[in-house]
Amino acid sequence: ILNVEQSPQSLHVQEGDSTNFTCSFPSSNFYALHWYRWETAKSPEALFVMTLNGDEKKKGRISATLNTKEGYSYLYIKGSQPEDSATYLCASHNTNAGKSTFGDGTTLTVKP
Amino acid sequence: NAGVMQNPRHLVRRRGQEARLRCSPMKGHSHVYWYRQLPEEGLKFMVYLQKENIIDESGMPKERFSAEFPKEGPSILRIQQVVRGDSAAYFCASSPPQGGSYNEQFFGPGTRLTVL
């Protein structure tokens, strides 16, 4: 994997459904993987910074896992709500210098 | 504690003019990042600065673009002789002094540049 890839590109679920999506990133020279939530007409908001293989982080109904050896991270949303509708971005850091590579995002739409 | 501030929010320039985009980081933050989102594309890293230093500018176009973060005042992204292809949303983000890539980045609202 040379680039950061996110799948699926978009996702439509019903309120109450649980969902998950994937971020694949280069596993060499890995430093950190950031997840962001980006609502329309707003700016990206940091969700998680993940650094260690096997990391699992949680914030309310949203959680994320990290596998640095194989280069992927999953983001899970339990019991989706309409207010969860947003684009979820991941960004891979392969140096400690601050430069990051973003995926194109997964756009989640939660229907009431 | 005010968040990251960017101004102007919208900027219209004619081809050949200069565009200056400003970013004031969160209080206590000394690291600034600039990103560009071209139409129908994702966020792309441009440059990473600390006070008075450019740390990584590998994402900056080779010509016409420059960035600075002086000891006093906001960070400035400067685009000289703008062309239509520079039309994009430009976001800046800031993070605290230590931690590098391990730190959360806090994004500003962006500047939408339109080149006529």
Side-chain angles (χ1 to χ4, degrees), chain A residues 3-112:
Chain A
N3 293 319
V4 177
E5 297 172 357
Q6 292 189 247
S7 63
Q9 187 176 1
S10 64
L11 197 52
H12 295 254
V13 301
Q14 289 294 136
E15 183 176 355
D17 287 350
S18 294
T19 187
N20 65 86
F21 18 94
T22 307
C23 171
S24 300
F25 54 87
S27 54
S28 59
N29 301 317
F30 174 83
Y31 269 83
L33 193 284
H34 293 220
W35 279 101
Y36 297 88
R37 169 195 160 87
W38 194 358
E39 290 184 70
T40 304
K42 295 187 177 180
S43 49
E45 174 195 350
L47 286 173
F48 304 114
V49 178
M50 311 189 75
T51 57
L52 298 175
N53 186 44
D55 251 358
E56 190 166 334
K57 297 207 171 180
K58 188 174 180 181
K59 188 182 287 189
R61 293 179 292 98
I62 305 176
S63 60
T65 60
L66 180 69
N67 183 322
T68 61
K69 295 187 187 307
E70 296 182 38
Y72 64 84
S73 176
Y74 293 135
L75 190 79
Y76 300 90
I77 302 178
K78 184 178 178 182
S80 303
Q81 299 297 308
E83 58 264 31
D84 296 329
S85 297
T87 295
Y88 292 83
L89 295 173
C90 67
S92 172
H93 293 243
N94 292 93
T95 75
N96 196 28
K99 179 182 178 180
S100 57
T101 302
F102 279 80
D104 288 336
T106 293
T107 299
L108 174 68
T109 303
V110 182
K111 300 175 187 174

Side-chain angles (χ1 to χ4, degrees), chain B residues 15 19 35 47 57 60 62 64 71 81 87 98-99 109:
Chain B
R15 281 180 297 169
Y35 298 92
V47 62
E57 56 180 348
M60 290 277 269
K62 293 283 185 274
R64 302 186 296 109
K71 187 177 180 181
Q81 299 176 325
S87 296
Q98 282 83 35

Side-chain angles (χ1 to χ4, degrees), chain B:
Chain B
N1 186 9
V4 178
M5 311 282 282
Q6 287 188 250
N7 68 80
R9 295 290 304 274
H10 300 274
L11 182 61
V12 179
R13 285 287 178 265
R14 296 191 180 279
R15 281 180 297 169
Q17 291 184 319
E18 179 179 285
R20 282 187 177 235
L21 288 62
R22 294 175 187 78
C23 170
S24 296
M26 284 181 70
K27 188 176 180 181
H29 287 189
S30 57
H31 295 195
V32 165
Y33 311 78
W34 284 93
Y35 298 92
R36 178 167 69 171
Q37 184 187 28
L38 292 167
E40 308 301 322
E41 295 189 17
L43 280 174
K44 296 287 191 291
F45 168 84
M46 298 182 76
V47 62
Y48 166 45
L49 310 104
Q50 296 176 13
K51 284 279 187 182
E52 301 185 277
N53 284 308
I54 296 174
I55 305 302
D56 186 336
E57 56 180 348
S58 57
M60 290 277 269
K62 293 283 185 274
E63 297 175 347
R64 302 186 296 109
F65 284 70
S66 62
E68 62 176 5
F69 189 16
K71 187 177 180 181
E72 302 291 338
S75 175
I76 307 283
L77 179 68
R78 183 181 176 207
I79 311 172
Q80 295 178 289
Q81 299 176 325
V82 296
V83 301
R84 289 216 174 103
D86 296 332
S87 296
Y90 292 83
F91 290 90
C92 87
S94 73
S95 69
Q98 282 83 35
S101 298
Y102 301 138
N103 277 332
E104 279 187 359
Q105 294 183 23
F106 294 82
F107 277 75
T111 294
R112 268 80 178 164
L113 172 65
T114 301
V115 180
L116 301 177

